[in-house]
């Protein structure tokens, strides 16, 4: 085995190594890219990476704003709040459920459930989101 470093192939914000390992410098940009499924009202999304049947991206919600009701078909969303806090309203089979995830907490929204996100604070909410599909689906209702 060689001790010399192996250089990656650079394509935009992604460095890809011969092993298939990647380093993505997303800069936590939420630009409503098609690859992220687009936005939902005031909730903006951006893609960071997809591989191995998973997608990971970022979402941002300005202070005092909310998303429109939406779902992700059968894709479960795992939402890690990095900054601020996000209140979730989930339209479950028994009625509306509400809970708030603050920085450092992780919310799990099962696939198919219509939900909305609210930012009740005066600071932007920044989240890292993972879904169990390489191609995220967003259906605003």
């Amino acid at each position: 085995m060689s001790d010399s470093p192996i250089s990656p192939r650079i394509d935009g914000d992604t460095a890809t190594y011969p092993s298939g390992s990647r380093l993505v410098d997303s800069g936590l940009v939420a630009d409503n890219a098609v690859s992220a499924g687009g936005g939902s009202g005031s909730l903006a999304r951006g893609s960071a990476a997809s591989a191995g049947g998973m997608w990971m991206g970022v979402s941002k919600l300005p202070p005092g704003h909310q998303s429109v009701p939406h779902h992700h078909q059968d894709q479960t969303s795992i939402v890690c709040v990095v900054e601020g806090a996000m209140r979730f309203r989930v339209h479950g089979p028994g009625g509306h459920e509400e809970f708030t995830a603050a920085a450092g907490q992780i919310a799990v929204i099962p696939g198919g459930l219509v939900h909305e996100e609210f930012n009740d604070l005066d600071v932007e909410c920044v989240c890292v989101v993972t879904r169990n599909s390489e191609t995220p689906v967003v259906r605003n209702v």
Side-chain angles (χ1 to χ4, degrees):
M1 181 173 273
S2 171
D3 287 341
S4 58
I6 297 173
S7 297
R9 178 178 45 85
I10 306 296
D11 183 15
D13 62 359
T14 303
T16 303
Y17 291 83
S19 66
S21 299
R22 288 184 276 164
L23 177 63
V24 179
D25 183 8
S26 72
L28 294 179
V29 174
D31 57 3
N32 289 327
V34 171
S35 61
S40 293
S42 294
L43 180 72
R45 295 185 184 89
S47 285
S50 61
M54 298 178 293
W55 169 86
M56 179 179 278
V58 64
S59 67
K60 292 184 177 183
L61 190 57
H65 285 79
Q66 68 186 59
S67 71
V68 297
H70 62 280
H71 65 85
H72 305 285
Q73 288 184 324
D74 60 348
Q75 299 175 0
T76 295
S77 297
I78 299 175
V79 181
C80 179
V81 179
V82 177
E83 295 177 18
M86 185 173 283
R87 179 169 49 95
F88 293 84
R89 178 182 297 147
V90 178
H91 303 250
H96 293 120
E97 305 164 346
E98 289 200 16
F99 56 90
T100 299
Q105 292 185 308
I106 298 170
V108 178
I109 310 298
L113 291 179
V114 172
H115 58 281
E116 302 160 80
E117 293 95 343
F118 301 83
N119 182 348
D120 300 322
L121 301 179
D122 59 359
V123 296
E124 181 174 59
C125 182
V126 179
C127 302
V128 174
V129 181
T130 303
R131 292 209 192 93
N132 57 328
S133 173
E134 288 188 33
T135 306
V137 173
V138 177
R139 298 285 185 256
N140 295 324
V141 295

